[in-house]
Every structure is written in structure tokens, then in C-alpha cells.
Amino acid sequence: MGRIGVDLYPEQSGVHLEDVTTFRKMLGGSATNVAVAAARLGRRAAVITKVGDDAFGRYARRALEGFGVDSSRVGTHPTLRTPIVFCEIFPPDDFPLLFYREPKAPDLELEPDDVDLDEVRAVELFWTTGTGLSQEPSRSTTLAALAARPDGAITVHDLDYRQMFWGSRDDAREWGLRALESATVAVGNLGEAAVLVGELPPAETARALLDLGLELAVVKLGPEGVLGATRDEAVALPPVPVEVVNGLGAGDAFGGALCHGLLSGWPLRRTLAFANAAGAIVAGRLGCADAMPTFDEVEAAAAAA
């Protein structure tokens, strides 16, 4: 449940937007990318979101279906336009984004009637994002969906903090903590976690998140790998070496693979290794949704790491 849009990635690397000559259009949006990643790995996936009544909205629906993601829960806003996002590509670690989500993105207009709470209760895994908390009515709708989840059901909250979407850091902290009250898993990088628990070393960050009542805290460490912790164990893995093309989709590939591991009931180490490998594969490709790997590709990369 969360963000959807259309990514316009330059086909020239190391070039600022004003000097780009051609772009490639691809499906985007964090929650949408995670659903695509899970579907590519063989899972049944759907995304609850909303697009505009425009050509990009029609493209997004068609792209979802092409990737095997159920689009029946994608609503249409009558006046707001489907967001587009431009990116600059400066490997290995600089990928500035320019969002066109004004005056408001349709996915932030999700209302209670857009969500079937009986279905939310029933699904094996439910994924929400921090961006979905940044404005009403999406905030209340997201929190209501989270609150509907049964105790112990796999409920993942992606911390997904982007400063430009929030009025203040304090607001992001307040509503992020509220969301985690209903989640069993939190996933995010150190900077995103710091919004909620303060700036701490990785292991202390994971512990602080677990102290909020979570069953699993996953702290992504970029070029230093990943740390995952439960109350009983902690697993730290180094990064999978890759020649970076575009790092923007790596986290969402990681997320989809994390879902697969959680649904499979794998041990924490195997789940993190699989997700780590998926993220590395996509970091070596241009796109996000379009670049998501298959199960065999991820297994091979994880085995070679």
C-alpha cells in the first residue's frame, strides 16, 4: 500500500537533467516496486494505491498487469495527475530525484473506502510506507489498515523517509512511531531509522526499533551491507559486490525479496542474504520495477556472494 508513479530515467549517465537528451519511461513508486519485485519472485501481489485519470495512470495499470501484479485495487482520482519522477545518474552513489507530485499525488488521496479491511486482515503479508503517512487522508487510511492486521501477522512498515514530503521531522517521527505500533517488521536505512529512534550505531538502532515492540528490525547500511535483528539473534552481512548503474531500485528489490523470505519462513540469515543479492542485482541495472530479478537470478547471485 503506497506510492505509485512513472519514472523517467536518463539514458545518459553522469549528465545533469538540463543536458539529458533522452529518457526511458518505467513504472515507479516504492510500494509499487516492492509488489513488482515480489511478483517477479513468484508471489501473488497486489498494490493499494491511486493514479490520475490520464495517460500515465493508464500506463501504470498496464505495466502492473504486465509484471503480474493485481491492479484491481488501484483507484483513479478524477482531477489529480499521476506523478512523474526524473532522476540524474551519477554512479556509484549519487542519484538525485526531481518529483512532480504537486499539488498532490493521487496516492495520498487514499480514503477508507479504497481499502477492503477484511482483505487486509486476511493477507499473509501487508506492506506500508512512511510516505503514505505524510498527508491526509492517506495517513488515517494507512493507520486504519495497519490497525486491522491480526496479532502476529507479517506486517512490514518501510520507514521510507523523504524530507520533501513532510512538513517537519517531528511529524514524521510522530506518525512513524504510530505506524510501528501495528507492525511486526521495520525496514529502512540508518538515516530513516534516526528520524524515529535518534542517531545510533547500527546494532543500537536495531535494538531501539525492537524495543518499540517489533519482531524484526532490518537496517540497510548501503555500501556496508545490512543488519537484521530479532530479540534472539542479530545477523550482519557485507554487501554483494556490484558495478552500480543506478542505486534507486536496490532498496525496493531488497524489500520484495525480504517479503519472499519472510513468507517462505526462512532463517534470518538466508532471508537477508537473498534480499541483499536482489538489491545488488538491481543496483547494476538502470530501472526499478523493470529491473526486478527472477528467483533463479537472485539465488545465483546469493550463492556467488
Side-chain angles (χ1 to χ4, degrees):
M1 177 177 180
R3 195 164 74 245
I4 192 170
V6 175
D7 293 340
L8 294 169
Y9 287 161
E11 293 184 311
Q12 295 79 47
S13 182
V15 176
H16 291 290
L17 284 178
E18 59 265 35
D19 298 315
V20 173
T21 57
T22 55
F23 294 89
R24 182 179 170 191
K25 179 183 70 174
M26 289 174 276
L27 183 67
S30 179
T32 299
N33 290 336
V34 170
V36 170
R40 188 65 63 84
L41 294 170
R43 293 292 173 180
R44 293 176 60 234
V47 60
I48 303 170
T49 189
K50 192 172 283 188
V51 296
D53 185 13
D54 53 34
F56 283 135
R58 293 190 291 275
Y59 162 75
R61 290 177 187 279
R62 187 175 65 198
L64 281 170
E65 293 294 342
F67 289 128
V69 177
D70 188 336
S71 67
S72 64
R73 298 153 189 84
V74 180
T76 301
H77 194 280
T79 58
L80 295 174
R81 293 185 175 179
T82 305
I84 58 173
V85 184
F86 290 91
C87 168
E88 294 179 343
I89 298 178
F90 291 92
D93 58 3
D94 188 19
F95 306 98
L97 290 171
L98 179 61
F99 287 92
Y100 282 75
R101 289 172 62 88
E102 291 82 16
K104 191 176 186 180
D107 54 60
L108 291 175
E109 280 291 307
L110 283 171
E111 299 182 1
D113 288 346
D114 296 315
V115 181
D116 181 343
L117 292 183
D118 288 336
E119 185 175 60
V120 169
R121 292 184 188 98
V123 294
E124 290 184 84
L125 185 149
F126 187 60
W127 178 287
T128 59
T129 72
T131 297
L133 304 172
S134 63
Q135 291 190 44
E136 292 288 5
S138 173
R139 175 188 300 146
S140 294
T141 303
T142 300
L143 291 173
L146 283 166
R149 294 288 287 161
D151 290 344
I154 305 172
T155 306
V156 185
H157 185 66
D158 180 357
L159 303 184
D160 181 42
Y161 174 70
R162 294 187 180 275
Q163 182 179 353
M164 73 283 287
F165 296 159
W166 287 91
S168 73
R169 191 176 175 95
D170 287 343
D171 284 346
R173 180 177 188 275
E174 175 185 354
W175 297 112
L177 290 174
R178 180 78 66 85
L180 291 183
E181 291 175 2
S182 301
T184 60
V185 180
V187 56
N189 60 38
L190 267 180
E192 291 169 328
V195 175
L196 303 186
V197 299
E199 295 186 4
L200 299 167
E204 292 180 34
T205 295
R207 177 54 54 187
L209 289 170
L210 290 172
D211 287 344
L212 298 174
L214 297 162
E215 295 178 11
L216 171 64
V218 179
V219 183
K220 295 181 288 187
L221 303 173
E224 297 180 14
V226 64
L227 170 69
T230 67
R231 293 179 182 84
D232 299 320
E233 72 172 319
V235 175
L237 296 178
V240 175
V242 64
E243 183 175 346
V244 175
V245 174
N246 180 4
L248 291 173
D252 297 334
F254 182 101
L258 175 69
C259 291
H260 183 77
L262 292 172
L263 288 167
S264 299
W266 290 346
L268 180 57
R269 180 173 294 275
R270 183 180 180 190
T271 296
L272 292 179
F274 188 80
N276 223 17
I281 289 171
V282 174
R285 298 173 176 176
L286 176 63
C288 292
D290 293 62
M292 295 304 174
T294 65
F295 178 85
D296 289 344
E297 288 176 318
V298 180
E299 284 281 81

